[in-house]
Every structure is written in C-alpha cells, then in structure tokens.
Amino acid sequence: MPEGDTVWHAAHRLHEALAGEVLTTCDLRVPRLATVDLTGRTVLDVTPRGKHLLTRVEGGLTLHSHLRMEGAWRLYAPGEKWTGGPAFQIRAVLGNSAHTAVGYRLPVLELLRTAAEPKAVGHLGPDLLGPDWDPDAARANLLRDPARPLGEALLDQRNLAGIGNVYKCELCFLSQVTPWLPVGELPEPDRIVELAHRLLEANRAHPGRRSTTGSHRPGQTLYVYGRARRPCFRCGTPLRSAPQDGRPTYWCPRCQSGPTR
C-alpha cells in the first residue's frame, strides 16, 4: 500500500510536470466523469494530503484521487509507451505538451469544487508531511481511545495522516511494543509521534527505497515488515506474523513487549 511518503513523492512529480501548464489532454474513465473535459484549463498545483492527491485546476475545481492498495500515477513523455498496466486499468489521463500523467487502478477519482475539499479530506488528522503537522494534536488523537490497540490507532488516518501498514509495524518495533498494546499503555506517546514524523521525512524523496534501519541494501531496509520467520536484526529471534484489522502484521516476540494475537 502506498504510504504518506510515497504519495508525497507522487504529488511532487505530478506538480513538477503539470502545474502552471494548460491541459491539452483530459480523459477521465469513470462513468460519473465520462463527460468531464478539463482541456484548456491550467493546472494550479498538485498537493498531497495524507494518502490523498488533490490536483487543482483553474475555475475552482479539484480532481481528488486516492491510491489505496493498487493505484498509481505514472508520467510519460510524448510518444513514450505507457507501461503502468493494461489499458482497461487506466482511470485518468491528464496531459500537456511535455508530459502525460496516467492514473492506473485508482479506486477513488472524483471532481470537486476546490472550496469543497474538506468534504474529502477534512476528516484527516495532522499530515505527517504537511504544513499542518501538529505533534501535540496527533498525540492527543492517538490517546483519545486508550483501550484501542496501538497498531489500529496508528493506521487510523483521523488520528494522524500518512502511516500505512509498513510504518505501523516498524514504528511498533522501534518503540519496543507490540501492535496489540492498548495505546493508553504506550510508555512514551510523544516519542512514537516524533519517530513517525522523522521516518516519513527521511524517506519521502526515495520512492522504492523506504528504509527504517538506515540501510538501503536489499533485505536490510526494514526491521520486521515482510520478514516473518527470519531472524530479528537485534536479537536473532525468528520474527512472527499475524493479521491485525485485516492486514498482515509483523513483530519480534523478544524485542517487543505487550499482548499478541
């Protein structure tokens, strides 16, 4: 699943390619937008909000997309072959004289009045990579339901926006607690909030190279995520995996204290 740093990078690349340019191509391939034509309008900016992308165009309109599990935006030069998937998976095409942005497998694609953006993203907590980042508010949101498992609280975008399953698992490991620990029992809630911000900041400019260990060597970039039954880098104990809220969750039974599934 794309996480906040990946979405930030996607927005940055789309902004560089589209912002300030007039759209010469617009093809929105979802039924409710099939008759929408944005050609002739200038793209004002492309802004990430948590895991959401907001493409604002002149005339007070915003194209809102969300990548969820499988979605992706790809950029192509004129005449370049589109390689993001088969044509039937394309949901949006936005282009100018120099670049074409193609949105594949987008589960959310809607056109909003820019003034109505809060209807789509107003429920989100402080954005870990946004100008609204507020660690005090994020901590207060996390602790609002003290009995809730930490892993679930971290994934709830209403608490703080941008954490996905990879960072959830890694943050719990770095905090030395299991994802099932009630969030109210977290020894240092300030630390996990600051750590989340620091990890996403460090990784946002490196798509495909996400690292929480400080290494970018294959197989050494993450402490626990995707490493079930492999030895913990710290203690050598085989790591474990179990579902939490429908997602595979990874932890070290020796380094992390607290309840398990």
Side-chain angles (χ1 to χ4, degrees):
M1 172 188 291
E3 309 202 21
D5 53 346
T6 305
V7 174
W8 183 94
H9 183 82
H12 183 70
R13 293 184 67 239
L14 289 170
H15 182 86
E16 287 190 330
L18 301 177
E21 301 293 334
V22 174
L23 290 173
T24 56
T25 301
C26 175
D27 184 5
L28 305 180
R29 303 181 184 180
V30 295
R32 63 185 175 278
L33 301 180
T35 61
V36 171
D37 185 6
L38 300 175
T39 57
R41 298 176 186 253
T42 299
V43 175
L44 303 179
D45 63 73
V46 182
T47 297
R49 182 72 175 86
K51 300 181 186 180
H52 300 251
L53 284 165
L54 303 172
T55 302
R56 301 180 179 120
V57 299
E58 67 175 337
L61 296 175
T62 296
L63 188 66
H64 167 229
S65 58
H66 194 296
L67 306 182
R68 289 191 180 165
M69 295 292 291
E70 301 294 338
W73 280 96
R74 303 288 180 87
L75 282 171
Y76 300 98
E80 185 179 1
K81 184 179 179 180
W82 298 356
T83 58
F88 71 84
Q89 294 182 346
I90 295 173
R91 297 293 177 266
V93 182
L94 300 174
N96 54 42
S97 59
H99 300 94
T100 300
V102 183
Y104 289 90
R105 301 171 297 277
L106 301 175
V108 175
L109 187 69
E110 58 180 346
L111 190 66
L112 311 168
R113 300 298 304 180
T114 300
E117 285 180 3
K119 293 182 179 179
V121 297
H123 66 287
L124 299 175
D127 187 339
L128 282 153
L129 296 177
D132 70 323
W133 173 240
D134 184 339
D136 293 333
R139 182 191 66 249
N141 291 344
L142 280 175
L143 297 176
R144 188 160 39 206
D145 183 357
R148 191 176 192 186
L150 174 60
E152 293 181 17
L154 288 172
L155 285 179
D156 190 336
Q157 303 300 295
R158 296 170 298 180
N159 291 332
L160 64 173
I163 294 176
N165 202 37
V166 175
Y167 281 123
K168 177 200 81 172
C169 296
E170 296 295 294
L171 285 166
C172 290
F173 175 81
L174 290 167
S175 299
Q176 299 181 316
V177 296
T178 70
W180 291 272
L181 181 80
V183 70
E185 298 179 20
L186 188 64
E188 299 180 87
D190 286 328
R191 181 176 180 273
I192 199 169
V193 168
E194 171 55 31
L195 185 58
H197 182 237
R198 182 150 42 92
L199 287 179
L200 266 73
E201 280 282 356
N203 282 285
R204 66 176 176 177
H206 303 287
R209 296 177 60 208
R210 180 176 296 134
S211 174
T212 59
T213 63
S215 171
H216 288 290
R217 294 181 179 179
Q220 298 179 20
T221 59
L222 301 172
Y223 282 108
V224 293
Y225 185 84
R227 300 190 63 244
R229 296 180 297 279
R230 297 180 185 179
C232 174
F233 289 141
R234 288 186 174 173
C235 72
T237 301
L239 301 176
R240 297 183 61 186
S241 175
Q244 182 182 38
D245 199 24
R247 298 174 176 87
T249 296
Y250 304 86
W251 79 100
C252 175
R254 183 171 181 181
C255 292
Q256 294 172 252
S257 62
T260 58
R261 180 175 172 84

Short mmCIF file of all heavy atoms in Angstrom, two decimals, residues 10 13-14 18 28 53 55 63 65-67 71-75 91-94 101-104 106 109:
data_model
loop_
_atom_site.label_atom_id
_atom_site.label_comp_id
_atom_site.label_asym_id
_atom_site.label_seq_id
_atom_site.Cartn_x
_atom_site.Cartn_y
_atom_site.Cartn_z
N ALA A 10 4.79 11.19 -5.28
CA ALA A 10 3.94 11.19 -6.47
C ALA A 10 3.39 12.58 -6.74
O ALA A 10 3.38 13.06 -7.88
CB ALA A 10 2.82 10.18 -6.31
N ARG A 13 6.15 14.92 -8.11
CA ARG A 13 6.46 14.68 -9.52
C ARG A 13 5.32 15.19 -10.41
O ARG A 13 5.58 15.79 -11.48
CB ARG A 13 6.70 13.19 -9.77
CG ARG A 13 7.95 12.65 -9.09
CD ARG A 13 8.20 11.19 -9.45
NE ARG A 13 8.53 11.04 -10.85
CZ ARG A 13 7.85 10.30 -11.73
NH1 ARG A 13 6.77 9.64 -11.31
NH2 ARG A 13 8.22 10.21 -12.98
N LEU A 14 4.08 14.96 -10.03
CA LEU A 14 2.95 15.44 -10.81
C LEU A 14 2.92 16.96 -10.84
O LEU A 14 2.63 17.57 -11.88
CB LEU A 14 1.64 14.90 -10.24
CG LEU A 14 1.38 13.40 -10.45
CD1 LEU A 14 0.17 12.96 -9.64
CD2 LEU A 14 1.17 13.08 -11.93
N LEU A 18 2.91 19.09 -14.25
CA LEU A 18 1.62 19.64 -14.68
C LEU A 18 1.36 21.07 -14.25
O LEU A 18 0.68 21.82 -14.98
CB LEU A 18 0.48 18.75 -14.15
CG LEU A 18 0.47 17.28 -14.57
CD1 LEU A 18 -0.69 16.56 -13.90
CD2 LEU A 18 0.40 17.13 -16.08
N LEU A 28 -11.11 11.15 -18.36
CA LEU A 28 -11.44 10.59 -17.05
C LEU A 28 -12.35 9.39 -17.28
O LEU A 28 -13.52 9.54 -17.66
CB LEU A 28 -12.11 11.64 -16.18
CG LEU A 28 -11.31 12.94 -16.00
CD1 LEU A 28 -12.07 13.92 -15.12
CD2 LEU A 28 -9.93 12.66 -15.42
N LEU A 53 -4.47 12.66 -3.07
CA LEU A 53 -3.86 13.59 -4.01
C LEU A 53 -4.92 14.56 -4.50
O LEU A 53 -6.01 14.15 -4.92
CB LEU A 53 -3.28 12.83 -5.21
CG LEU A 53 -1.96 12.10 -4.98
CD1 LEU A 53 -1.70 11.12 -6.12
CD2 LEU A 53 -0.83 13.10 -4.88
N THR A 55 -5.46 17.49 -7.21
CA THR A 55 -4.98 18.18 -8.41
C THR A 55 -5.93 19.33 -8.68
O THR A 55 -7.07 19.13 -9.10
CB THR A 55 -4.92 17.23 -9.62
OG1 THR A 55 -4.06 16.12 -9.30
CG2 THR A 55 -4.39 17.94 -10.85
N LEU A 63 -9.40 17.72 -8.83
CA LEU A 63 -9.53 16.29 -9.11
C LEU A 63 -8.91 15.55 -7.93
O LEU A 63 -7.70 15.63 -7.69
CB LEU A 63 -8.82 15.94 -10.41
CG LEU A 63 -9.04 14.50 -10.91
CD1 LEU A 63 -10.50 14.28 -11.30
CD2 LEU A 63 -8.12 14.21 -12.09
N SER A 65 -7.94 12.13 -5.99
CA SER A 65 -7.68 10.71 -6.19
C SER A 65 -7.04 10.11 -4.94
O SER A 65 -6.42 10.81 -4.14
CB SER A 65 -6.77 10.47 -7.41
OG SER A 65 -5.54 11.14 -7.28
N HIS A 66 -7.22 8.81 -4.81
CA HIS A 66 -6.63 8.07 -3.69
C HIS A 66 -6.11 6.76 -4.26
O HIS A 66 -6.80 6.09 -5.03
CB HIS A 66 -7.69 7.81 -2.62
CG HIS A 66 -7.12 7.36 -1.30
ND1 HIS A 66 -6.44 6.16 -1.16
CD2 HIS A 66 -7.13 7.92 -0.07
CE1 HIS A 66 -6.06 6.02 0.11
NE2 HIS A 66 -6.47 7.06 0.79
N LEU A 67 -4.89 6.39 -3.88
CA LEU A 67 -4.25 5.21 -4.46
C LEU A 67 -4.66 3.90 -3.79
O LEU A 67 -4.62 2.85 -4.41
CB LEU A 67 -2.72 5.36 -4.39
CG LEU A 67 -2.15 6.63 -5.00
CD1 LEU A 67 -0.63 6.61 -4.91
CD2 LEU A 67 -2.59 6.81 -6.43
N GLY A 71 -3.36 1.55 -6.61
CA GLY A 71 -3.34 2.68 -7.53
C GLY A 71 -1.96 3.27 -7.74
O GLY A 71 -1.05 3.12 -6.91
N ALA A 72 -1.79 3.96 -8.88
CA ALA A 72 -0.52 4.61 -9.18
C ALA A 72 -0.73 5.67 -10.25
O ALA A 72 -1.58 5.52 -11.14
CB ALA A 72 0.51 3.60 -9.67
N TRP A 73 0.03 6.75 -10.15
CA TRP A 73 0.13 7.74 -11.22
C TRP A 73 1.49 7.59 -11.87
O TRP A 73 2.51 7.54 -11.19
CB TRP A 73 -0.02 9.16 -10.67
CG TRP A 73 -1.42 9.60 -10.40
CD1 TRP A 73 -2.09 9.55 -9.21
CD2 TRP A 73 -2.33 10.18 -11.34
NE1 TRP A 73 -3.37 10.06 -9.35
CE2 TRP A 73 -3.53 10.46 -10.65
CE3 TRP A 73 -2.24 10.49 -12.71
CZ2 TRP A 73 -4.64 11.04 -11.29
CZ3 TRP A 73 -3.34 11.06 -13.34
CH2 TRP A 73 -4.53 11.32 -12.63
N ARG A 74 1.52 7.52 -13.20
CA ARG A 74 2.77 7.41 -13.94
C ARG A 74 2.89 8.59 -14.90
O ARG A 74 1.88 9.03 -15.46
CB ARG A 74 2.83 6.10 -14.73
CG ARG A 74 2.68 4.84 -13.87
CD ARG A 74 3.90 4.59 -13.02
NE ARG A 74 3.75 3.39 -12.20
CZ ARG A 74 4.06 2.17 -12.61
NH1 ARG A 74 4.51 1.97 -13.85
NH2 ARG A 74 3.91 1.14 -11.81
N LEU A 75 4.11 9.04 -15.13
CA LEU A 75 4.37 10.15 -16.04
C LEU A 75 5.09 9.65 -17.29
O LEU A 75 6.01 8.82 -17.19
CB LEU A 75 5.22 11.23 -15.36
CG LEU A 75 4.50 12.16 -14.39
CD1 LEU A 75 5.52 13.01 -13.63
CD2 LEU A 75 3.49 13.04 -15.11
N ARG A 91 -7.64 4.94 -15.36
CA ARG A 91 -8.80 5.68 -14.88
C ARG A 91 -8.73 7.16 -15.21
O ARG A 91 -9.76 7.84 -15.20
CB ARG A 91 -8.93 5.50 -13.35
CG ARG A 91 -9.17 4.08 -12.89
CD ARG A 91 -10.54 3.58 -13.33
NE ARG A 91 -10.73 2.18 -12.95
CZ ARG A 91 -10.47 1.14 -13.75
NH1 ARG A 91 -10.02 1.37 -14.97
NH2 ARG A 91 -10.68 -0.09 -13.35
N ALA A 92 -7.53 7.69 -15.46
CA ALA A 92 -7.42 9.12 -15.73
C ALA A 92 -6.19 9.39 -16.59
O ALA A 92 -5.14 8.75 -16.41
CB ALA A 92 -7.33 9.92 -14.43
N VAL A 93 -6.34 10.33 -17.51
CA VAL A 93 -5.22 10.80 -18.33
C VAL A 93 -5.26 12.32 -18.34
O VAL A 93 -6.27 12.92 -18.73
CB VAL A 93 -5.29 10.26 -19.77
CG1 VAL A 93 -4.08 10.75 -20.57
CG2 VAL A 93 -5.37 8.74 -19.79
N LEU A 94 -4.19 12.94 -17.88
CA LEU A 94 -4.05 14.40 -17.90
C LEU A 94 -2.74 14.72 -18.59
O LEU A 94 -1.69 14.20 -18.20
CB LEU A 94 -4.03 14.97 -16.48
CG LEU A 94 -5.26 14.71 -15.60
CD1 LEU A 94 -4.99 15.23 -14.18
CD2 LEU A 94 -6.50 15.37 -16.18
N ALA A 101 0.25 12.45 -17.62
CA ALA A 101 0.08 11.73 -16.35
C ALA A 101 -1.05 10.73 -16.52
O ALA A 101 -2.16 11.10 -16.94
CB ALA A 101 -0.23 12.70 -15.22
N VAL A 102 -0.76 9.47 -16.22
CA VAL A 102 -1.74 8.40 -16.39
C VAL A 102 -2.00 7.77 -15.03
O VAL A 102 -1.08 7.30 -14.36
CB VAL A 102 -1.24 7.34 -17.39
CG1 VAL A 102 -2.30 6.27 -17.61
CG2 VAL A 102 -0.86 7.99 -18.72
N GLY A 103 -3.27 7.75 -14.63
CA GLY A 103 -3.64 7.16 -13.35
C GLY A 103 -4.19 5.75 -13.54
O GLY A 103 -5.20 5.56 -14.22
N TYR A 104 -3.49 4.77 -12.96
CA TYR A 104 -3.87 3.38 -13.08
C TYR A 104 -4.56 2.89 -11.80
O TYR A 104 -4.14 3.22 -10.69
CB TYR A 104 -2.64 2.50 -13.30
CG TYR A 104 -2.00 2.65 -14.67
CD1 TYR A 104 -0.99 3.59 -14.89
CD2 TYR A 104 -2.39 1.84 -15.73
CE1 TYR A 104 -0.39 3.71 -16.13
CE2 TYR A 104 -1.80 1.95 -16.98
CZ TYR A 104 -0.80 2.89 -17.17
OH TYR A 104 -0.21 3.02 -18.41
N LEU A 106 -7.09 3.51 -10.03
CA LEU A 106 -7.44 4.46 -8.97
C LEU A 106 -8.82 4.10 -8.41
O LEU A 106 -9.83 4.24 -9.11
CB LEU A 106 -7.46 5.89 -9.53
CG LEU A 106 -6.15 6.39 -10.14
CD1 LEU A 106 -6.36 7.77 -10.76
CD2 LEU A 106 -5.03 6.42 -9.11
N LEU A 109 -11.71 8.45 -7.56
CA LEU A 109 -11.47 9.54 -8.51
C LEU A 109 -12.75 10.35 -8.59
O LEU A 109 -13.80 9.85 -9.01
CB LEU A 109 -11.09 9.00 -9.89
CG LEU A 109 -10.65 10.05 -10.90
CD1 LEU A 109 -9.30 10.65 -10.51
CD2 LEU A 109 -10.57 9.45 -12.31
#
